[in-house]
C-alpha cells in the first residue's frame, strides 16, 4: 500500500518538547527578588520581632544565592536559555537554599515555609514531567525533614515559638497537597495552552499554504490563457511549414519539432493549471464548484463521493455564488479527507440553501465518531477513530489536527460547524441504512459567504494581475 509521507514542515508541531523554554535571565531576576525578600525578612525578624536567629548562617545561605547569580551573570550571556536539565538543577538549588533557611528559622513553624511551592510550580509550567516529578518528590522530602529537624524559633526572652503538633501535621499536609495540586494544575493549563498555540500555528501554516496554492493556480491559469493564442499561432504556422517543406526533409523535421514542442508547452500549462479556474479573477465561484474543488484531491482514493445540491425554497433556483476563500476550501478539504479516511465505500456531500443561509453536510458510511469524544471534536491533537485501510486508499499520518484546522478555518469564514453520528435517532438524515457513519454539518449565513445577488449576475469586470 502506498504511504503518504508526513509534511516535515509540521514536525515541530508534533513534538511536546519543552527544552530551552526558560531564559537564565528570568530565573536570575526571580532569584534577586528572593534574595531581597529573604534579607529584609531575616533583618526584620531579628531586630524588630526580637527573634534569636543565626544571622551568620542565614546570610551564608543568602550569600550563596548572591554568588551563584553573579557567577551566572559573568559566565553566560543575558539571552542564555537553559536546557531542561540545567533549569531543573537551578530550581533544585533554589529549593535547597530555601529549605536551609527554613531549617535555621523554625522549619514548618515558619509561615514562609509555604514558599517551597514556588520552585515546583515554576518547573510544572516550563519543564518536563520527569523534572517536575523529581523536584516535587524532593520538596515533599525536604518539608518532611523540616517538620522533624529544625532550629527552633526563640525569642530574646528565651521562649520558644512552637506550633501544636496537630497544626504542624495540618501545615505539612497542606503544603504537600499544594505541591501536588498546584504543579498538576499548572502543568495541565500550560500543556493545553501550548497545544492550542501549536495547533493554531499549524492552522496558520495550512491557511498560508492554501493561499499560496490558490494564488499560484491563478497565475498558472492566467499564463495558460495569455500564452494560448501565441502557442496556437506557433502550432498553426509550424503545421503549414511542415506541409510546404516537403521537398526539404531536414527543414520539415525542424518545423515538426517546433509544432511538437508547442503542443508540449500547451500540455504542461494545462496540467499545471488544473488547480486553477478559467476565471482570471479567482475570487468567487458557484457553491458546487468550490465544494468539488475542495473534494477533488480525495476523489481517487477508493471511495465514491456523491454530490447533491438542491435549493430548499425553489428547486429551479440557481446555485449561490460564494467567495473562494482559501480557508473555506482548505477547511472543507480537511472534512472530506476525514470522511474518506474512515468511510467504508462512499461518502455523501449535500448542500442546501435558502435566501438566508447555506448548509453543507458531509456524511460517510464508516463507524462514526466515538460517543465519548463527540463533545470534544474540534479540539487539537484529538484522534482516536479506527481508519479504514485498503490498497486503493493510502492513509495519512495524522496528528489529530485535521478537524481542529477545519473547524477553526470555517468558523473564521463565518460558519457554524457541528459533529454528530448518522445513527443518532434525533438526527434527520435520509437513507440512514447507508449513511451510518459520521456527520459534519457546516452552516453559513448567506451574507457571510455568498456574493450579493446583483454581484452574482453582473459582469466580473476587468481582469487584474494576481500578486504572489
Amino acid at each position: 500500500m502506498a504511504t503518504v509521507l508526513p509534511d516535515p514542515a509540521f514536525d515541530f508541531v508534533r513534538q511536546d518538547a519543552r527544552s530551552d523554554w526558560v531564559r537564565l535571565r528570568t530565573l536570575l531576576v526571580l532569584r534577586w527578588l528572593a534574595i531581597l525578600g529573604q534579607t529584609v525578612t531575616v533583618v526584620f525578624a531579628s531586630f524588630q520581632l526580637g527573634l534569636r536567629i543565626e544571622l551568620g548562617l542565614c546570610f551564608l545561605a543568602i550569600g550563596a544565592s548572591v554568588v551563584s547569580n553573579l557567577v551566572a551573570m559573568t559566565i553566560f550571556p543575558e539571552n542564555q536559555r537553559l536546557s531542561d536539565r540545567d533549569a531543573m538543577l537551578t530550581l533544585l538549588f533554589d529549593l535547597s537554599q530555601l529549605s536551609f533557611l527554613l531549617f535555621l528559622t523554625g522549619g514548618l513553624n515558619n509561615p514562609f515555609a509555604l514558599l517551597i511551592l514556588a520552585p515546583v510550580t515554576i518547573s510544572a509550567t516550563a519543564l518536563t514531567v520527569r523534572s517536575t516529578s523529581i523536584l516535587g518528590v524532593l520538596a515533599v522530602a525536604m518539608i518532611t525533614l523540616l517538620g522533624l529537624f529544625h532550629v527552633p524559633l526563640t525569642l530574646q526572652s528565651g521562649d520558644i515559638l512552637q506550633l501544636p503538633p496537630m497544626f504542624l501535621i495540618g501545615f505539612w499536609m497542606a503544603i504537600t497537597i499544594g505541591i501536588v495540586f498546584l504543579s498538576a494544575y499548572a502543568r495541565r493549563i500550560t500543556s493545553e495552552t501550548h497545544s492550542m498555540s501549536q495547533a493554531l500555528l499549524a492552522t496558520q501554516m495550512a491557511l498560508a499554504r492554501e493561499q499560496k496554492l490558490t494564488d499560484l493556480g491563478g497565475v498558472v491559469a492566467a499564463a495558460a490563457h495569455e500564452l494560448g493564442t501565441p502557442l496556437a499561432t506557433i502550432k498553426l504556422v509550424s503545421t503549414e511549414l511542415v506541409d510546404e517543406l516537403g521537398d526539404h526533409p531536414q527543414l520539415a523535421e525542424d518545423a515538426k519539432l517546433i509544432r511538437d514542442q508547442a503542443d508540449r508547452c500547451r500540455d504542461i500549462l494545462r496540467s499545471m493549471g488544473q488547480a486553477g479556474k478559467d476565471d482570471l479573477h479567482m475570487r468567487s465561484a458557484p457553491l458546487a464548484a468550490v465544494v468539488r474543488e475542495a473534494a477533488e484531491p480525495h476523489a481517487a482514493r477508493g471511495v465514491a463521493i456523491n454530490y447533491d445540491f438542491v435549493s430548499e425554497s425553489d428547486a429551479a433556483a440557481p446555485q449561490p455564488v460564494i467567495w473562494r476563500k482559501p480557508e473555506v476550501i482548505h477547511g472543507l478539504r480537511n472534512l472530506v479527507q476525514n470522511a474518506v479516511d474512515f468511510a467504508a465505500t462512499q461518502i455523501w456531500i449535500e448542500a442546501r440553501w435558502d435566501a438566508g443561509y447555506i448548509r453543507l453536510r458531509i456524511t460517510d458510511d464508516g463507524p462514526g465518531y466515538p460517543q465519548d469524544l463527540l463533545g470534544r471534536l474540534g479540539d487539537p491533537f484529538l484522534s482516536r477513530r479506527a481508519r479504514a485501510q485498503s490498497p486503493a486508499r493510502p492513509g495519512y499520518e495524522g496528528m489529530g489536527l485535521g478537524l481542529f484546522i477545519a473547524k477553526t478555518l470555517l468558523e473564521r469564514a463565518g460558519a457554524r460547524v457541528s459533529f454528530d453520528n448518522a445513527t443518532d435517532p434525533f438526527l434527520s438524515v435520509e437513507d440512514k441504512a447507508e449513511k451510518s457513519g459520521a456527520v459534519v454539518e457546516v452552516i453559513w449565513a448567506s451574507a457571510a459567504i455568498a456574493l450579493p445577488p446583483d454581484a452574482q449576475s453582473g459582469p466580473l469586470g476587468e481582469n487584474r494581475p494576481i500578486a504572489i
Side-chain angles (χ1 to χ4, degrees), residues 428-442:
S428 176
V429 177
E430 298 82 359
D431 303 324
K432 284 188 177 180
E434 292 183 347
K435 302 175 184 178
S436 58
V439 178
V440 184
E441 192 168 67
V442 185

Side-chain angles (χ1 to χ4, degrees), residues 94-267:
D94 294 334
L95 185 65
S96 303
Q97 188 261 359
L98 177 60
S99 299
F100 182 63
L101 272 180
L102 292 174
F103 169 78
L104 298 174
T105 55
L108 291 184
N109 294 286
N110 189 335
F112 287 98
L114 191 65
L115 293 176
I116 209 165
L117 294 169
V120 185
T121 305
I122 294 174
S123 174
T125 59
L127 305 185
T128 60
V129 175
R130 177 177 175 273
S131 298
T132 303
S133 300
I134 292 174
L135 288 174
V137 170
L138 292 177
V140 172
M142 288 179 183
I143 64 168
T144 302
L145 293 175
L146 289 173
L148 301 174
F149 310 101
H150 55 269
V151 177
L153 280 176
T154 307
L155 297 173
Q156 295 293 343
S157 61
D159 296 331
I160 297 177
L161 299 179
Q162 180 76 30
L163 290 174
M166 187 67 69
F167 280 89
L168 284 176
I169 294 175
F171 195 26
W172 177 86
M173 293 180 62
I175 295 178
T176 302
I177 294 174
I179 290 173
V180 176
F181 174 77
L182 289 179
S183 58
Y185 181 80
R187 175 74 188 189
R188 179 68 176 178
I189 294 297
T190 305
S191 297
E192 290 184 356
T193 303
H194 176 61
S195 296
M196 183 62 69
S197 174
Q198 295 292 84
L200 289 175
L201 181 58
T203 302
Q204 293 173 354
M205 293 174 61
L207 179 58
R209 182 169 58 182
E210 186 66 34
Q211 181 68 62
K212 289 292 184 183
L213 291 175
T214 299
D215 293 342
L216 182 60
V219 172
V220 172
H225 179 77
E226 296 295 336
L227 293 175
T229 301
L231 288 175
T233 303
I234 294 173
K235 181 179 179 181
L236 177 61
V237 173
S238 60
T239 301
E240 292 178 353
L241 287 175
V242 170
D243 296 336
E244 294 178 0
L245 294 174
D247 298 335
H248 302 79
Q250 187 174 1
L251 295 178
E253 287 295 328
D254 292 339
K256 186 182 297 184
L257 178 62
I258 294 174
R259 183 187 62 185
D260 294 340
Q261 293 303 311
D263 288 338
R264 184 182 178 191
C265 290
R266 180 199 60 195
D267 295 338

Side-chain angles (χ1 to χ4, degrees), residues 269-321:
L269 288 172
R270 182 179 298 169
S271 64
M272 292 176 62
Q274 287 178 354
K277 298 292 180 181
D278 292 333
D279 180 13
L280 296 182
H281 288 283
M282 298 288 293
R283 295 293 180 266
S284 61
L287 174 63
V290 175
V291 173
R292 290 179 184 274
E293 178 184 358
E296 183 181 5
H298 305 288
R301 294 185 56 212
V303 173
I305 302 180
N306 306 293
Y307 298 95
D308 184 17
F309 302 94
V310 178
S311 171
E312 292 193 338
S313 58
D314 182 5
Q319 292 184 23
V321 178

Side-chain angles (χ1 to χ4, degrees), residues 20-41:
D20 301 338
W21 274 24
V22 183
R23 286 195 311 166
L24 177 61
R25 180 180 176 83
T26 301
L27 294 183
L28 295 184
V29 170
L30 292 176
R31 187 178 290 171
W32 282 123
L33 294 176
I35 290 170
L36 178 61
Q38 291 169 359
T39 303
V40 171
T41 303

Side-chain angles (χ1 to χ4, degrees), residues 322-462:
I322 65 174
W323 294 107
R324 274 190 73 252
K325 297 181 178 180
E327 53 264 40
V328 173
I329 296 174
H330 195 82
L332 294 179
R333 184 167 296 161
N334 275 17
L335 294 180
V336 173
Q337 174 184 326
N338 188 75
V340 171
D341 283 346
F342 297 102
T345 59
Q346 56 185 331
I347 69 171
W348 295 263
I349 302 178
E350 303 163 296
R352 303 289 184 267
W353 62 88
D354 205 339
Y357 70 90
I358 297 174
R359 186 177 78 240
L360 188 70
R361 176 180 290 168
I362 301 175
T363 313
D364 62 65
D365 60 350
Y369 299 119
Q371 289 295 328
D372 59 323
L373 294 184
L374 273 177
R376 297 176 54 200
L377 290 175
D379 288 351
F381 305 103
L382 181 67
S383 178
R384 214 185 70 195
R385 199 151 64 116
R387 294 175 181 267
Q389 297 289 350
S390 67
R393 196 184 332 165
Y396 288 79
E397 183 180 344
M399 297 180 293
L401 284 175
L403 291 182
F404 171 80
I405 291 177
K407 187 171 184 291
T408 302
L409 292 179
L410 291 173
E411 288 178 347
R412 172 177 172 172
R416 186 174 73 252
V417 183
S418 59
F419 304 93
D420 215 318
N421 286 322
T423 54
D424 188 343
F426 299 101
L427 188 65
S428 176
V429 177
E430 298 82 359
D431 303 324
K432 284 188 177 180
E434 292 183 347
K435 302 175 184 178
S436 58
V439 178
V440 184
E441 192 168 67
V442 185
I443 301 177
W444 290 275
S446 295
I449 191 173
L451 274 67
D454 56 343
Q456 295 187 24
S457 57
L460 292 177
E462 184 180 356

